[in-house]
Each structure stands twice: as C-alpha cells, then as structure tokens.
Amino acid sequence: MPLSEAVRVRRVGTPSPEPARERHVVGPVHLIWQAGAIRHVSIDGIEVLRGIGAVIRDDNWGTHTLCTEADEARPGRDAMEFTYRAGVSTARAGPGESPLALELHARLDDTALDVRLAMTARARFATCRSGLRVLLPLLGVVGSNVEVEHCNGLIETGCFPRHISPGQPFFDIRRLSFTPTPQRAIDVHFDGDVFEMEDQRNWSDASFKIYNRPLALPSPYRIEAGKTVTQRVRLQWRNAAGAAP
C-alpha cells in the first residue's frame, strides 16, 4: 500500500481520498458542502449544526458506499441551491444497476436551510436504516434547555444531557427548538419518518445524532421495488427574543 494510502487508513479508516470541501456563505451563515453532505453550519461564526446528510445502512448495519452521479452548488442572488444524486454501491450491482437511487436537494438563504431527500428503490432493498441524519455540536448544546414537539403535537421540555447518556435522550421528534448562543434560537423540523436522538459521546464522537426509524422497530426492513421514500429537515434561526434575525 502506498504511503499516502496508509496514512489515510490510519487517519480515517479508508484509503480513499476525502471528497473536496466547498465553503459557502449566505448572509450570517457559513457551511461546508462535501459530496452531498452539509457540514459545520455556523451563524455569526458560531457552529449551530455539525452536519446533515444521507446515510444508507445495509441489512447488517454496515454503511453503503454512495456512487456520485451529480454534485452541484449553484449560487443565486439571495440563496444557494445544492443538488446531489447518487446510487448505492453493492457487490452484486454493476454500473447503472444500483438498487437504490438517491436525490438530495438543499436550499440555503439568510433565514433557513431546507434539505430534502428522495430515495427510490429500483429493486427490493433491505436496510437497517436509510435516510437523513442530523448531528448537533456539543458546545452551546450540552446541558442546555430544549423543546421537543412530538408527532402527535404534544410538547416536551427538557435539557440535552450534560453527562453521556447510555440511552436515547429524546424519541418521536417532529421539531427541536434550542438556543445554542444567547443571540440565536434554532428550530429544526423533521418530516418523512419518525426520528429520535442518541448521544454520540458513547462512541467518542462529539455530537448528538438524530436519525430516522426508531431502534425499537424491527430491522432490517425493506423498501419495495418502485417505491420512493422522501424525508425533509428544515433548520430555521431567529433571535433569542423570538423576532426574525
């Protein structure tokens, strides 16, 4: 193995080079776009979201490699538009034969980040989890107050865990509202499936992860051939007093 590949294996666990990172700015918002994933969303220089992206698991909780078909960032007058299309790579699928096709669209303006994902099964697809996952940073979040709206409309108030939580801190999430800085309040809306949260510090990752399909449901499950599954995550920000920024 060439030295450069050996170094990458030690650093990130794979010899494949890391996809290029693109930095984009709209108003007070900075983010990184990297091969269909949005990373390090910062407002006024403070990180409020660690990442949003699609993760496709196989029927044994392994992570499928995505084969990029389109990757585009388009600046506009007041917004950025992002498009990512990919197929799932499997040992049995040749070029153009991916059993699952993904299309992700994102739009960023100075008030919101809107991410939509469509997954279409070209053949019956077995998976333990497929969809959008959201990572929250620890700084400004750990121990802070949070409001959780559940899918039945009920509101729960609580706090993000200060100490590492071995169980899921929150279940059945439709909306999370929290204030990572004294100036900004954040609302994150989830659609398309039932989402819940786990504390990634259990696995030495400095984040809280919000993912679709509750762990209490049976796995693996199947997406039938011809079916399209859609999900949406919308991040909005406002000043802590409740007025628009």
Side-chain angles (χ1 to χ4, degrees):
M1 180 183 298
L3 179 60
S4 60
E5 292 188 1
V7 170
R8 286 197 293 267
V9 169
R10 288 199 301 271
R11 288 178 176 172
V12 297
T14 174
S16 301
E18 186 179 25
R21 295 182 173 220
E22 302 175 8
R23 181 174 179 268
H24 297 282
V25 180
V26 175
V29 186
H30 296 217
L31 60 75
I32 301 295
W33 171 257
Q34 185 182 33
I38 294 169
R39 306 188 187 280
H40 304 295
V41 180
S42 298
I43 302 176
D44 300 326
I46 298 174
E47 185 181 39
V48 299
L49 201 73
R50 180 60 49 87
I52 302 177
V55 176
I56 310 299
R57 305 287 194 183
D58 63 20
D59 56 1
N60 198 34
W61 287 104
T63 302
H64 278 295
T65 299
L66 299 182
C67 298
T68 301
E69 298 170 0
D71 184 350
E72 184 180 9
R74 302 179 302 279
R77 173 180 291 181
D78 301 313
M80 287 287 305
E81 301 275 353
F82 304 91
T83 299
Y84 180 76
R85 290 193 295 275
V88 169
S89 175
T90 70
R92 295 184 295 273
E97 298 177 348
S98 168
L100 190 72
L102 287 76
E103 187 159 346
L104 183 147
H105 293 283
R107 185 181 189 276
L108 170 69
D109 59 30
D110 59 3
T111 63
L113 171 63
D114 194 357
V115 182
R116 301 169 186 253
L117 174 68
M119 301 172 289
T120 301
R122 295 167 174 161
R124 198 181 197 201
F125 185 73
T127 178
C128 288
R129 177 185 298 157
S130 289
L132 291 171
R133 64 97 177 92
V134 174
L135 301 178
L136 301 182
L138 299 184
L139 186 63
V141 175
V142 167
S144 66
N145 295 331
V146 60
E147 182 179 275
V148 183
E149 180 181 349
H150 299 293
C151 293
N152 60 5
L154 293 179
I155 303 295
E156 174 187 359
T157 57
C159 296
F160 289 102
R162 184 171 299 280
H163 302 291
I164 297 173
S165 173
Q168 294 101 307
F170 299 108
F171 299 87
D172 186 27
I173 302 168
R174 173 185 288 170
R175 173 182 55 83
L176 284 177
S177 296
F178 57 101
T179 307
T181 77
Q183 295 78 29
R184 297 286 185 176
I186 303 296
D187 301 316
V188 190
H189 302 264
F190 300 86
D191 289 301
D193 205 335
V194 178
F195 289 78
E196 62 188 28
M197 178 190 293
E198 65 187 18
D199 191 337
Q200 290 282 85
R201 293 175 293 178
N202 283 287
W203 299 275
S204 301
D205 188 352
S207 66
F208 295 107
K209 181 169 76 174
I210 306 163
Y211 54 89
N212 70 295
R213 189 169 175 90
L215 291 176
L217 295 179
S219 63
Y221 63 100
R222 290 171 175 79
I223 303 174
E224 298 297 333
K227 182 177 180 180
T228 297
V229 177
T230 60
Q231 295 178 10
R232 181 185 183 189
V233 173
R234 180 172 173 81
L235 174 75
Q236 296 175 289
W237 43 90
R238 48 190 166 81
N239 71 24

